[in-house]
Amino acid sequence: MSERSAAQGKASGRPLVALFATCLVDLFRPSVGFASLTLLQRAGCEVVVPPEQTCCGQPAYNNGDRAAIIALAKQTIAMLEPADYVVIPSGSCAGMLSEHYPRLFDGEWHDRALAVASKTFELTSFLRDIAPLPTPEKLHPPSGKVAYHDSCAGLREMQVREQPRALLKSTCGVEVVELQQRDVCCGFGGTFCAKMPEISAKMADDKLKDAASTGATILTGGDLGCLMSLAGRAQRTGQNLEMRHVAELLVGDQDTPPVGGAD
Amino acid sequence: MTDRDARTDIFARLQHSASGLSNNDILREQWALGSAPAPALPGSDLHEAFLTNVLKNQGTVDCAAGRVGTVKAIAAHLYANYRKHRLVASNDQRLAALPWRDGGLLPRFGSVEANEQVALSYARLGVAELGAVVTFTGKANPAANNLLPEQHVVLVDAADVVAASEQAWERIAALTEAEERPRGINFIAGPSSTADIEGQLVYGAHGPKAWHVILVGDLPDSILQQARANAGVQT
Amino acid sequence: MEQTSRNFLGNAHTALGDEARAERRDLLALFQPIMRQSAVDDFAAHEATRAHVKKVRQHTLDNLAYYLARYEEQATHNGNHVHFARDAAQMNSIVLDICQRHDAQRIAKGKSMVTEETGLNEHLARAGLDVRETDLGEYIVQQAGETPSHIVGPALHKSADEIRELFLEKHDLGERDLLETSDMVAEARQVLREHFLTADVGIIGANALIAENGYSMLVTNEGNGDLCANLPSVLIVCATIDRILPRAEDATAMLRLLVRSATGQPQTCYTSFYSGPRRAPDPDGPLETHIVLLDNERSDILDSGYREILACIRCGACLTHCPIYAGVGGHAYGSVYSGPMGSVLTPLLTSLEESAALPNACTSCGRCAEICPADIPLPDLLRDLRSEEREQRLSPLRWRFGLKMHAWLAAQPALYRLLTGLGIRALHRLARGRGRFRRLPLAGGWSSQRDFPAPQQKTFMQLYRERDRHDG
Ligand code: SF4
């Protein structure tokens, strides 16, 4: 993040938020990035999108290659240091920065990692707990019943549970219908789904069945990885359930096709 | 490698990863650990909590005052369930001293035999937190009497009921200073049960199918009713 | 048992294909966590107790040599013969030796994972002994010639119908048909009661060994372990050295966590503390008692980055809360211990090479660590094992190389930008507006089971820059 943008934010007196879009959003679903940007601006933040951002390094890290991501983590930490807050539209990438980066280092870099960790938030928890998203004059309710998929890292590493539900209610007038086993993993697990596809598919099927039995037609959530994996499985097995990232619902984006949907 | 070599080898390995503290420092550190937080008891009264938890553990309960009252309570339970007056009682002096004839009971003192259905023990302690009675194996209470009968009836003095495991151990330490360390200390908290077939709970897996606890002492009349209400058990 | 962890994926495939069992696993995975949660909710001091017990265990492991020596001294003082065994084979031969010295024929066994770990039953059976498991679940799997599928509920993978069939085949039932579950329990009770009364030696495990007084703690609901400990004239307790706790009160504090997490009960029916052989005036109890203290890699684990796994109290909750365990069941792991704790322990007890699949059977969802009453960071330990797997070059080259490349590339923002920008445009074009792919080169694992959602036209960073330039 450049000195210029940092200075800009400070001058405006508004909190300076670095938006870390995540590699999946960057590569597969820019609409989530733009939705996040809009929401943060509505919440009164000065938002910068550091151009050096790539990926937080979870794939290699979760496969036990700590060494490979040291350089990447340092670069990410340095890039985010000037901001007041780091906001990420993903529980698992936010968890990576706040829970796991500090464990990679000792000494100076450990402290720097901790400092970034302490100001890193998952998008919906930030908009609920830190910079409240104002209630819009006009609600944009999505057409259809909405169920919410809690990502494991969001739940357990970032304590995201009620925030997205509350926001959906206040901004879209949506009363989320709850899955029976909302704290059970959907089977994505990053590279897990490619290493153990059959088990992963079984877990996705359970999640989809659970969602279907609520009568929901839209399944939303805060983690694109889970949604892509679930959308892919739903399409393969011929299930009709639209997956959309919660940021998209919150800005009322109904034009972008759902995850995996035709243009 | 012999047992002894294995011992030497294991201790050598453990030394390698040990903290290196002196024995005194280890004990000091142990002391500083303190005790686990005290568990909350249901209701405000110790005896009520004890009875409540016995009920929650699928026991049945009664209260009795005085020696005659105690015998009558045992007799009533036996008659209601078995239409019987016979039972095996452990060789506990407190049991030997009960006025059996007042309840019309015919106890045999000793260890339970294959054809005998009911055994009676006098517990050393009751633990409210656990809803458990504690017996020591030995002459006064053969282990077989806890395990082999169809039905186990246990008396416990109100004065011997403690709040939690920590207090139970204090009492046990005091008792075993006077006597020898017993071979077995048994915390019993329910009839024998199993859920190993499809998770379905069945009583009488290997041990008693039913477990009845009689609390002996001067207790308020309402205590049984209150305990049943706490435990959500119908009368 | 013969370890088949190498074939985890194959085992899992078979397990997933068995619909009836898969359905039963789903049901257990739904209800067991609910039962545990309600028991924990009823126990206000749960978190504080968890923290306390963790401190106690940490202190014990830090000073294990001291406490082990103290336990040995106290147990010897109580009249036990205390033996040490470095490995499984040594423990098995110590136990067989004791049995043979007493001309024992019939052995009554309580539930013990340690003896599963060493394969004690087979060892004794090879020497001609009649070893009978007496825990109902263990008895069922023994009769069926299987191994436990769960460390607490060994036979929960079987239906009541299967168990009925098994009893009809193995027992002489005459006219009886064992229609109800309670009939089956009664049948096993009768058969095993007979065995208890005639057994020469009882063998049990221990949930804790108490250093200050030399007692061992045995926790059961059925009371079978107590029958093993009280009726035969010789008793052998088999336990690993990491079961030591300093004080009696530490064992009962740990029990508060164990019971609730294992079965959702507030208290087990029988919690017994045994100190040694029958005292002079005692009417019953064994005449001779032995304690076999097994290391089997524990001292090495203690000295490694995995020592936290030694705090495991074997409640089985991480198994019942693991969606992968729920999906494939315990047998798919092909090892004595399964689920998250088994995936940590198995490579440490056997070899990473044989069990490399197990640490990978994890999505890092964290549910196990959240509920583990011993507060063991299971996903972190599994990640560390994957790290070792990579270092020892046991994982497929394709994975190691690919992920390293990705991490390297991500640390070069400009190049990353360029390559991903090109790649995404190509992918988008390739999808031709269908929004997804059925098959994608290099993503075989994914696309065997799922479609792959196609990217939108350009990357976020490209679009953002374009917009920024436009606005700016
Ligand atoms: S690792 Fe934790 S949850 Fe799993 S069995 Fe051990 S104590 Fe229980």
Side-chain angles (χ1 to χ4, degrees):
Chain A
M1 187 158 98
S2 69
E3 295 298 319
R4 184 181 60 89
S5 51
Q8 222 172 43
K10 299 250 148 77
S12 70
R14 290 180 294 176
L16 177 66
V17 169
L19 173 64
F20 188 82
T22 78
C23 63
L24 287 181
V25 165
D26 177 30
L27 301 183
F28 292 96
R29 216 161 159 82
S31 50
V32 176
F34 286 113
S36 308
L37 190 63
T38 309
L39 290 169
L40 288 168
Q41 284 164 343
R42 279 191 199 156
C45 304
E46 181 75 37
V47 187
V48 291
V49 180
E52 308 92 325
Q53 60 180 285
T54 56
C55 164
C56 66
Q58 268 186 93
Y61 177 73
N62 276 330
N63 277 280
D65 197 347
R66 283 163 164 251
I69 71 155
I70 292 287
L72 176 56
K74 283 187 175 171
Q75 169 197 304
T76 308
I77 291 165
M79 159 187 105
L80 299 171
E81 275 170 334
D84 298 326
Y85 296 103
V86 176
V87 175
I88 308 183
S90 156
S92 83
C93 305
M96 180 70 187
L97 265 69
S98 29
E99 287 284 310
H100 300 281
Y101 271 16
R103 297 186 198 175
L104 293 169
F105 305 103
D106 295 317
E108 182 209 332
W109 276 99
H110 176 73
D111 296 341
R112 291 175 70 174
L114 270 185
V116 168
S118 67
K119 59 185 181 187
T120 297
F121 292 86
E122 182 274 343
L123 178 71
T124 59
S125 67
F126 184 78
L127 293 173
R128 183 76 190 161
D129 305 335
I130 306 295
L133 187 66
T135 310
E137 274 153 32
K138 190 168 144 288
L139 300 177
H140 304 279
S143 45
K145 239 190 199 180
V146 179
Y148 194 88
H149 167 59
D150 294 281
S151 84
C152 297
L155 263 183
R156 302 193 177 91
E157 294 183 341
M158 301 309 293
Q159 285 72 50
V160 180
R161 190 179 268 271
E162 298 314 322
Q163 302 93 326
R165 293 170 170 82
L167 286 177
L168 282 165
K169 181 143 203 237
S170 60
T171 22
C172 316
V174 164
E175 196 72 66
V176 165
V177 291
E178 296 296 350
L179 304 189
Q180 188 176 26
Q181 300 203 62
R182 54 189 248 189
D183 59 347
V184 176
C185 176
C186 67
F188 170 55
T191 49
F192 172 82
C193 71
K195 281 195 277 194
M196 301 198 168
E198 202 182 354
I199 303 171
S200 169
K202 193 269 177 194
M203 292 161 70
D205 287 344
D206 288 349
K207 188 59 72 182
L208 291 168
K209 212 194 297 165
D210 197 345
S213 68
T214 64
T217 54
I218 299 174
L219 182 63
T220 189
D223 274 77
L224 188 55
C226 306
L227 296 177
M228 284 175 67
S229 140
L230 287 169
R233 183 64 188 170
Q235 281 159 345
R236 179 64 55 92
T237 55
Q239 266 199 62
N240 248 340
L241 194 60
E242 275 185 30
M243 318 281 164
R244 291 181 185 277
H245 193 281
V246 64
E248 296 171 321
L249 292 189
L250 291 175
V251 289
D253 174 0
Q254 319 245 350
D255 302 334
T256 307
V259 179
D263 290 359
Chain B
M1 192 182 265
T2 67
D3 273 37
R4 288 288 102 184
D5 295 341
R7 182 187 185 283
T8 312
D9 198 37
I10 290 171
F11 275 100
R13 283 160 179 274
L14 294 183
Q15 283 307 345
H16 189 252
S17 59
S19 67
L21 294 182
S22 71
N23 290 357
N24 274 342
D25 286 342
I26 294 173
L27 288 176
R28 207 164 299 135
E29 220 182 82
Q30 185 204 92
W31 206 77
L33 290 170
S35 290
L41 298 180
S44 53
D45 177 75
L46 179 69
H47 297 110
E48 180 189 314
F50 170 70
L51 293 170
T52 302
N53 284 338
V54 169
L55 287 166
K56 283 190 181 167
N57 290 335
Q58 309 301 319
T60 50
V61 294
D62 202 355
C63 291
R67 296 195 298 174
V68 174
T70 303
V71 170
K72 287 195 166 152
I74 300 168
H77 181 71
L78 236 65
Y79 195 74
N81 288 280
Y82 292 93
R83 303 264 176 271
K84 272 193 177 179
H85 304 283
R86 288 181 189 282
L87 77 163
V88 179
S90 305
N91 267 315
D92 187 296
Q93 285 173 5
R94 293 172 294 177
L95 292 178
L98 288 178
W100 294 102
R101 249 179 291 163
D102 292 353
L105 289 173
L106 298 167
R108 185 181 72 74
F109 289 91
S111 296
V112 69
E113 300 285 339
N115 57 349
E116 291 172 312
Q117 284 183 312
V118 187
L120 176 70
S121 301
Y122 216 127
R124 294 305 188 101
L125 296 171
V127 188
E129 166 210 0
L130 307 173
V133 293
V134 181
T135 61
F136 293 173
T137 60
K139 199 155 163 278
N141 194 63
N145 290 14
N146 290 352
L147 298 166
L148 294 178
E150 297 271 297
Q151 164 128 204
H152 192 206
V153 180
V154 188
L155 307 180
V156 60
D157 280 338
D160 291 333
V161 175
V162 297
S165 314
E166 283 73 11
Q167 288 81 51
W169 287 117
E170 279 169 27
R171 290 282 292 268
I172 291 169
L175 286 168
T176 52
E177 233 163 75
E179 311 160 24
E180 201 185 5
R181 267 182 200 166
R183 178 178 67 83
I185 303 171
N186 303 101
F187 288 61
I188 303 169
S192 156
S193 70
T194 183
D196 275 348
I197 299 180
E198 283 194 354
Q200 287 183 46
L201 194 58
V202 177
Y203 295 106
H206 287 291
K209 294 179 176 152
W211 177 61
H212 185 65
V213 174
I214 300 172
L215 184 58
V216 181
D218 285 322
L219 298 154
D221 291 340
S222 60
I223 193 168
L224 275 177
Q225 216 176 356
Q226 192 55 49
R228 290 201 175 100
N230 295 345
V233 175
Q234 313 271 316
T235 23
Chain C
M1 71 182 280
E2 197 194 332
Q3 196 178 344
T4 64
S5 310
R6 265 183 224 280
N7 191 36
F8 175 74
L9 287 180
N11 297 343
H13 175 78
T14 313
L16 287 166
D18 185 337
E19 275 178 37
R21 289 205 171 173
E23 210 173 290
R24 231 177 356 266
R25 286 195 295 268
D26 286 346
L27 266 179
L28 287 170
L30 179 62
F31 287 112
Q32 287 176 324
I34 295 174
M35 282 161 62
R36 177 194 163 277
Q37 192 58 48
S38 97
V40 166
D41 290 345
D42 276 347
F43 178 44
H46 178 79
E47 278 309 313
T49 307
R50 192 185 188 202
H52 173 79
V53 170
K54 185 177 183 170
K55 254 186 355 191
V56 171
R57 180 73 75 177
Q58 180 73 41
H59 165 80
T60 317
L61 291 175
D62 285 348
N63 303 290
L64 192 55
Y66 170 81
Y67 285 114
L68 187 62
R70 184 133 167 85
Y71 171 76
E72 181 194 17
E73 169 200 302
Q74 290 297 312
T76 309
H77 168 86
N78 292 343
N80 295 289
H81 301 266
V82 180
H83 311 258
F84 287 84
R86 279 281 289 128
D87 56 24
Q90 201 178 4
M91 185 184 102
N92 291 349
S93 81
I94 291 170
V95 174
L96 178 59
D97 219 50
I98 299 167
C99 294
Q100 287 178 335
R101 243 184 300 124
H102 290 274
D103 288 325
Q105 270 311 305
R106 292 162 73 94
I107 316 291
K109 235 182 117 253
K111 189 169 163 11
S112 146
M113 288 312 294
V114 171
T115 60
E116 297 282 345
E117 190 180 318
T118 67
L120 179 67
N121 287 5
E122 298 83 77
H123 187 76
L124 299 180
R126 270 197 298 278
L129 276 63
D130 175 9
V131 186
R132 202 72 64 90
E133 290 289 347
T134 62
D135 169 82
L136 180 59
E138 292 280 350
Y139 176 72
I140 291 166
V141 295
Q142 187 188 36
Q143 290 298 302
E146 297 176 11
T147 54
S149 59
H150 186 283
I151 57 174
V152 174
L156 288 179
H157 59 284
K158 291 181 108 59
S159 68
D161 286 340
E162 285 173 82
I163 296 167
R164 185 176 304 112
E165 285 301 312
L166 181 71
F167 282 8
L168 290 173
E169 183 197 321
K170 302 269 173 178
H171 292 183
D172 184 10
L173 292 173
E175 294 292 292
R176 290 173 300 141
D177 49 14
L178 307 185
L179 272 183
E180 302 294 325
T181 305
S182 55
D183 299 336
M184 290 185 257
V185 174
E187 168 63 17
R189 174 188 167 105
Q190 200 188 336
V191 168
L192 288 169
R193 179 64 69 97
E194 181 60 31
H195 193 78
F196 280 125
L197 293 170
T198 54
D200 307 302
V201 173
I203 299 178
I204 57 171
N207 295 85
L209 304 170
I210 299 164
E212 70 175 356
N213 59 18
Y215 278 76
S216 60
M217 177 168 80
L218 177 71
V219 179
T220 74
N221 276 320
E222 297 182 5
N224 64 307
D226 292 285
L227 287 162
C228 294
N230 287 292
L231 298 186
S233 62
V234 178
L235 171 66
I236 306 173
V237 180
C238 298
T240 48
I241 55 174
D242 51 355
R243 295 302 96 190
I244 302 265
L245 284 171
R247 307 165 296 187
E249 67 169 274
D250 298 327
T252 40
M254 182 265 273
L255 185 66
R256 293 181 181 129
L257 301 173
L258 174 62
V259 185
R260 291 177 172 88
S261 284
T263 61
Q265 291 168 282
Q267 172 64 6
T268 34
C269 303
Y270 300 101
T271 306
S272 302
F273 297 83
Y274 292 110
S275 67
R278 187 191 293 200
R279 310 287 184 242
D282 289 2
D284 55 12
L287 298 165
E288 190 177 306
T289 57
H290 297 262
I291 316 271
V292 188
L293 298 170
L294 173 68
D295 180 356
N296 205 25
E297 310 294 332
R298 267 61 173 192
S299 55
D300 281 347
I301 298 174
L302 188 67
D303 210 4
S304 76
Y306 301 99
R307 71 148 51 183
E308 281 168 290
I309 195 65
L310 298 180
C312 170
I313 60 174
R314 305 285 188 272
C315 71
C318 60
L319 281 67
T320 32
H321 285 71
C322 174
I324 291 154
Y325 175 90
V328 303
H331 289 144
Y333 291 75
S335 50
V336 172
Y337 301 104
S338 59
M341 58 79 79
S343 298
V344 174
L345 215 43
T346 307
L348 300 174
L349 297 183
T350 61
S351 76
L352 187 52
E353 199 199 341
E354 255 172 296
S355 18
L358 304 192
N360 284 288
C362 171
T363 62
S364 298
C365 79
R367 197 176 182 213
C368 53
E370 182 177 62
I371 53 88
C372 170
D375 199 18
I376 300 170
L378 294 153
D380 293 341
L381 298 182
L382 291 169
R383 188 183 301 108
D384 289 345
L385 284 166
R386 295 198 288 275
S387 180
E388 278 192 47
E389 179 200 355
R390 209 192 51 77
E391 277 156 23
Q392 295 177 20
R393 302 177 181 278
L394 298 171
S395 54
L397 181 64
R398 164 172 77 83
W399 277 107
R400 262 184 288 141
F401 183 71
L403 291 165
K404 195 178 267 317
M405 268 306 289
H406 175 260
W408 174 82
L409 183 62
Q412 327 291 325
L415 187 59
Y416 179 90
R417 205 80 314 131
L418 181 73
L419 290 178
T420 54
L422 289 171
I424 289 306
R425 203 169 319 147
L427 263 185
H428 179 78
R429 251 186 270 129
L430 204 63
R432 277 177 266 146
R434 286 187 306 261
R436 60 197 162 110
F437 303 96
R438 283 192 71 81
R439 204 163 287 117
L440 202 60
L442 300 176
W446 176 296
S447 55
S448 69
Q449 302 287 339
R450 307 174 153 79
D451 289 358
F452 194 92
Q456 294 169 347
Q457 293 203 19
K458 292 182 177 176
T459 70
F460 173 65
M461 295 309 284
Q462 282 173 326
L463 291 168
Y464 179 75
R465 214 165 5 175
E466 286 169 16
R467 201 175 87 168
D468 210 26
R469 220 176 278 142
H470 194 249
D471 295 347

